[in-house]
């Protein structure tokens, strides 16, 4: 057969396009294919175990995947919220075996296994290559758990903790850990050595969690932190007003993401210099006072982006201004958007439509937000949303399909539109495919005026240039015509 004449390098490259399960089946075709298949990074690099894998056959298969790849870095995850003998007998030993070569570890487990998990993360040598780490202990009620990070092989003791009057250990270790995501865990106020290198920290607690004060100890744990995300129920700010040193630690952040009850959100703008931060994420910001505080330093909102949020239950409204580098992200729960709701974002009303010079919308959220976009006051409810002065529309086609992607069917009224940008953002392929006639039809649903078309990561089929030039006065692309 022709395929037997292919060089091993080309065959190995072909295997990289296969799912790990298909790779395993391909390895059984012949002896020559077996080493090629099992050396495929897609076979051993990303190992994620969930409830459906708790059987002898699936776990044996994951052990084989874990044994492949030599000492190369892997991404390892467990998501299982139940209780089972498989956890102690299989998952914990598998986690312990994965830790020495893990580059990323993501764990969502029942809190009853906390001791076993931390034992598995602190073997001889620890997790010296770990860069990204997520731990989420699920439990009933408010958790009261101490927390220990996995440490590297450079420390004699598994846990290095310095009290407020103690000197740090003289042992230094080049921890590579950069991102730590900690859910439902009460952090100790003392130092944890492996957190010192973290630049991005998530400290998320359940909505009934109450804290006496702002968690300043996080800055002591991670002095190199530049991105902080904190979530919970309420903070009472008992020690306010805060020292200049503490406030400057907050000012040094590049991004801050806060997710609390509305009373706490308002209090944060009173006690913390949030208006001085360049980039701020706000969740449950469904009150006008929070909107006004958040937008007070941004000037006129000239760029609005609407993108899909986490887990499909949220979407993001991002506001930018050309004159400043200030960015504000409003994380909107989809559950707030229902007929006659009073908790929708004011940025989707007609208050700012004359100020916006660029609107960016992802195609995955287009249909959902379409009914909430502003309409002319005298227009009937079934009319298309209208931005009467908008000159530039960016459509972010966030599809991972290898096939031609259809553009949204819902119309917008953009009588002053000058430039239409179709931006493909596929992580897997680096581009998306669109049909030239569909692009023309989409433009006609926006305006009848001739437009400039920019294709960024969006490619059209062969012989499509003439079709596009029949509708657009200029066409620019960063990809060749295919």
């Amino acid at each position: 057969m022709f395929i037997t004449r292919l060089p091993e390098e080309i065959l190995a490259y072909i295997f990289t396009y296969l799912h790990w399960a298909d790779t395993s089946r391909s390895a059984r075709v012949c002896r020559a294919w077996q080493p090629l298949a099992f050396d495929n990074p897609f076979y051993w690099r990303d190992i994620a175990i969930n409830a459906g894998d708790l059987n002898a056959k699936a776990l044996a298969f994951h052990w084989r995947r874990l044994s492949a790849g030599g000492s190369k870095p892997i991404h390892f995850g467990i998501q299982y919220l139940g209780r089972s003998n498989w956890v102690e007998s299989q998952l914990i030993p598998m986690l312990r075996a994965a830790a020495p070569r893990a580059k990323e570890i993501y764990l969502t487990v029942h809190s009853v296994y906390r001791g076993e998990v931390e034992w598995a993360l602190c073997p001889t040598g620890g997790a010296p290559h770990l860069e990204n780490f997520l731990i989420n202990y699920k439990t009933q009620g408010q958790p009261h758990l101490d927390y220990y990070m996995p440490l590297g092989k450079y420390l004699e003791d598994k846990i290095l903790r310095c009290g407020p009057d103690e000197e740090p250990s003289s042992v230094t270790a080049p921890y590579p850990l950069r991102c730590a995501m900690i859910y439902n865990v009460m952090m100790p106020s003392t130092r944890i050595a492996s957190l010192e290198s973290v630049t991005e920290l998530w400290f998320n607690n359940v909505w009934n969690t109450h804290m006496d004060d702002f968690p300043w100890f996080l800055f002591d744990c991670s002095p190199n932190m530049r991105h902080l995300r904190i979530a919970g129920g309420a903070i009472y700010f008992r020690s306010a007003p805060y020292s200049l040193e503490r406030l400057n630690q907050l000012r040094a952040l590049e991004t801050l993401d806060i997710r609390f009850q509305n009373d706490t959100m308002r209090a944060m703008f009173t006690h913390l210099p949030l208006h001085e931060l360049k980039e701020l994420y706000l969740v449950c910001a469904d009150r006008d006072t929070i909107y006004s505080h958040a937008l007070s330093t941004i000037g006129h909102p000239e760029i609005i982006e609407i993108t899909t949020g986490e887990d499909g239950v949220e979407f993001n409204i991002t506001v930018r201004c050309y004159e400043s580098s200030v960015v504000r992200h409003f994380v909107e729960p989809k559950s707030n958007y229902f007929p006659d709701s009073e908790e929708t974002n004011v940025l989707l009303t007609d208050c700012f439509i004359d100020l916006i010079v660029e609107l960016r919308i992802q195609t995955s959220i287009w249909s959902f937000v379409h009914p909430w976009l502003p309409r002319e006051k005298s227009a009937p409810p079934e009319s298309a949303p209208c931005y009467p002065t908008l000159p530039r529309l960016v459509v972010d086609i966030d599809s991972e399909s290898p096939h031609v992607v259809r553009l949204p069917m819902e119309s917008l009224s953009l009588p002053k539109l000058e430039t239409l940008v179709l931006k493909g953002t596929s992580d897997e392929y680096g581009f998306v495919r669109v049909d030239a006639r569909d692009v023309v039809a989409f433009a006609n649903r926006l305006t009848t005026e001739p437009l400039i078309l920019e294709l960024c990561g969006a490619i059209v089929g062969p012989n499509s240039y003439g079709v596009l030039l029949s509708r657009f006065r200029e066409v620019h692309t960063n990809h060749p015509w295919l």
Side-chain angles (χ1 to χ4, degrees):
M1 293 189 301
F2 171 75
I3 196 169
T4 61
R5 302 178 184 177
L6 290 176
E8 287 189 358
E9 294 80 5
I10 295 179
L11 273 175
Y13 182 74
I14 293 173
F15 277 120
T16 64
Y17 285 90
L18 298 180
H19 185 268
W20 58 264
D22 297 324
T23 300
S24 180
R25 285 189 286 268
S26 300
R28 303 191 193 106
V29 171
C30 64
R31 291 183 179 179
W33 281 21
Q34 187 172 4
L36 295 175
F38 290 153
D39 194 47
N40 175 10
F42 282 83
Y43 175 72
W44 50 261
R45 187 176 57 194
D46 298 288
I47 302 175
I49 303 171
N50 53 44
D53 294 315
L54 294 191
N55 59 79
K57 183 177 181 180
L59 291 172
F61 180 65
H62 285 306
W63 274 112
R64 289 196 297 271
R65 295 178 64 199
L66 187 59
S67 64
S71 59
K72 297 176 183 177
I74 62 172
H75 306 158
F76 185 82
I78 298 175
Q79 183 170 5
Y80 179 63
L81 305 181
R83 301 176 66 175
S84 168
N85 292 333
W86 290 112
V87 177
E88 293 97 331
S89 64
Q90 295 289 324
L91 300 190
I92 296 301
M94 197 176 297
L95 173 60
R96 188 175 177 86
R101 49 185 292 218
K103 187 176 182 180
E104 299 181 2
I105 294 179
Y106 302 98
L107 304 174
T108 300
V109 296
H110 196 286
S111 61
V112 72
Y113 299 114
R114 169 197 169 232
E116 288 86 348
V117 165
E118 292 169 5
W119 170 84
L121 289 171
C122 294
T124 303
H129 305 292
L130 195 61
E131 294 183 6
N132 298 309
F133 180 61
L134 180 150
I135 182 68
N136 186 357
Y137 288 131
K138 291 289 188 178
T139 186
Q140 298 296 323
Q142 181 177 347
H144 293 279
L145 303 173
D146 201 355
Y147 177 72
Y148 301 93
M149 285 292 297
L151 299 180
K153 62 183 179 181
Y154 303 97
L155 297 181
E156 294 181 1
D157 298 328
K158 293 181 180 179
I159 306 300
L160 171 64
R161 306 179 66 183
C162 299
D165 300 324
E166 298 178 30
E167 291 295 325
S169 171
S170 60
V171 181
T172 58
Y175 292 107
L177 191 64
R178 293 293 177 263
C179 177
M181 294 170 277
I182 303 166
Y183 288 74
N184 301 330
V185 175
M186 304 305 292
M187 291 278 289
S189 57
T190 51
R191 283 180 53 193
I192 301 176
S194 53
L195 281 178
E196 292 181 359
S197 61
V198 166
T199 58
E200 180 176 354
L201 179 62
W202 293 22
F203 181 55
N204 291 5
N205 291 291
V206 292
W207 283 95
N208 63 351
T209 302
H210 290 233
M211 290 185 275
D212 283 341
D213 217 335
F214 189 79
W216 294 109
F217 60 86
L218 297 177
F219 293 89
D220 300 329
C221 288
S222 303
N224 295 311
M225 178 172 58
R226 292 296 176 264
H227 309 276
L228 174 62
R229 172 175 171 172
I230 53 176
I235 300 179
Y236 297 115
F237 302 96
R238 303 290 192 195
S239 302
Y242 300 112
S243 66
L244 181 61
E245 179 184 1
R246 284 301 194 191
L247 297 180
N248 285 339
Q249 288 178 321
L250 191 72
R251 292 185 178 103
L253 292 176
E254 295 178 15
T255 61
L256 175 63
D257 185 329
I258 48 179
R259 302 165 181 246
F260 287 87
Q261 297 173 5
N262 286 305
D263 290 343
T264 295
M265 297 290 283
R266 285 192 290 269
M268 283 192 175
F269 282 95
T270 301
H271 300 296
L272 305 175
L274 299 186
H275 61 283
E276 299 182 29
L277 298 182
K278 292 297 184 181
E279 191 161 3
L280 187 62
Y281 289 79
L282 300 169
V283 181
C284 286
D286 58 353
R287 296 293 183 269
D288 291 341
T289 53
I290 299 176
Y291 284 132
S292 60
H293 280 307
L295 296 174
S296 61
T297 56
I298 202 169
H300 299 301
E302 296 175 322
I303 302 175
I304 290 184
E305 304 174 12
I306 305 175
T307 58
T308 302
E310 295 182 5
D311 302 325
V313 299
E314 301 171 341
F315 69 96
N316 304 319
I317 302 177
T318 299
V319 184
R320 303 176 188 270
C321 179
Y322 282 119
E323 296 180 357
S324 69
S325 57
V326 176
V327 182
R328 296 292 180 259
H329 306 272
F330 299 93
V331 183
E332 300 289 310
K334 288 185 176 180
S335 58
N336 286 353
Y337 287 75
F338 54 87
D340 301 322
S341 172
E342 297 182 356
E343 297 186 345
T344 58
N345 196 307
V346 68
L347 293 168
L348 297 183
T349 67
D350 58 1
C351 296
F352 302 100
I353 57 175
D354 292 331
L355 303 175
I356 300 172
V357 297
E358 182 171 310
L359 177 65
R360 305 174 183 175
I361 308 180
Q362 282 185 337
T363 53
S364 59
I365 198 67
W366 184 289
S367 296
F368 179 85
V369 301
H370 186 268
W372 303 99
L373 297 179
R375 287 163 171 78
E376 293 182 310
K377 293 182 179 180
S378 58
E382 63 275 9
S383 63
C386 180
Y387 289 85
T389 61
L390 183 72
R392 182 178 175 88
L393 174 66
V394 179
V395 180
D396 189 345
I397 311 173
D398 54 330
S399 172
E400 297 296 334
S401 173
H403 308 293
V404 173
V405 177
R406 307 296 296 183
L407 297 174
M409 293 299 298
E410 294 85 358
S411 302
L412 296 179
S413 177
L414 309 176
K416 298 296 183 179
L417 188 66
E418 299 176 2
T419 303
L420 171 62
V421 181
L422 300 182
K423 183 179 179 181
T425 55
S426 171
D427 294 330
E428 183 172 356
Y429 301 102
F431 63 88
V432 295
R433 297 181 183 273
V434 294
D435 180 75
R437 292 178 177 80
D438 187 37
V439 174
V440 170
F442 178 74
N444 291 337
R445 294 194 289 271
L446 306 175
T447 181
T448 58
E449 298 297 320
L451 301 173
I452 298 173
L453 175 65
E454 296 181 10
L455 298 173
C456 303
I459 61 175
V460 295
N463 305 319
S464 300
Y465 193 64
V467 175
L468 295 178
L469 286 182
S470 67
R471 174 63 178 84
F472 300 96
R473 68 173 186 265
E474 295 180 27
V475 178
H476 305 282
T477 180
N478 63 349
H479 276 270
W481 301 97
L482 300 178

